[in-house]
């Protein structure tokens, strides 16, 4: 499936750095098409973010002077619900850094 390529690309990027939501929206938009309604784009965004969460990535914020990544707390459903509410409240597609960032932190080493 073509969207898997975009998803894996996002995941690779998220492992190296933080991914702005506008990049995730571009992948989600490709799933539903450029002319899709805003509600369809939100559903696609939540689907992509949910798939990223399933693969170890998490939404969060950049905080402090050093812009440290802090993951949003809660379960997958909690996080997706928060994202849906924030995107709907914004009323338009989010720009990079406007609502959250996506990051796939390296797994903790077990010794």
């Amino acid at each position: 499936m073509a969207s898997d390529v975009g998803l894996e690309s996002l995941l690779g990027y998220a492992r190296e750095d933080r991914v702005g939501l506008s990049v995730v929206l571009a992948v989600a938009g490709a799933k539903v098409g450029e002319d899709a309604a805003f509600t369809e784009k939100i559903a696609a965004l939540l689907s992509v973010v949910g798939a990223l969460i399933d693969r170890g990535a998490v939404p969060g914020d950049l905080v402090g002077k050093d812009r440290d990544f802090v993951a949003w707390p809660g379960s997958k459903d909690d996080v997706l619900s928060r994202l849906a509410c924030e995107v709907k409240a914004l009323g338009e597609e989010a720009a990079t850094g406007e609502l959250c960032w996506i990051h796939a932190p390296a797994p903790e080493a077990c010794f």
Side-chain angles (χ1 to χ4, degrees):
M1 180 161 88
S3 63
D4 286 345
V5 172
L7 188 63
E8 289 305 316
S9 178
L10 281 175
L11 188 58
Y13 182 24
R15 287 182 178 134
E16 295 176 15
D17 202 354
R18 293 94 181 216
V19 179
L21 201 57
S22 64
V23 178
V24 181
L25 276 162
V27 172
K31 288 178 66 171
V32 294
E34 189 176 304
D35 296 329
F38 183 64
T39 55
E40 292 174 297
K41 290 180 181 181
I42 292 173
L45 171 66
L46 296 175
S47 173
V48 170
V49 172
L52 289 170
I53 291 171
D54 290 342
R55 290 166 173 80
V58 291
D61 298 308
L62 300 182
V63 298
K65 184 179 82 171
D66 294 330
R67 300 188 42 86
D68 295 321
F69 181 83
V70 177
W72 286 357
S75 68
K76 176 183 174 181
D77 288 341
D78 293 339
V79 169
L80 292 176
S81 178
R82 175 179 173 178
L83 181 57
C85 288
E86 291 196 18
V87 171
K88 288 175 186 174
L90 185 62
E92 60 187 20
E93 293 184 20
T96 291
E98 194 165 18
L99 297 178
C100 69
W101 295 86
I102 306 293
H103 184 53
E108 300 272 335
C110 297
F111 294 100

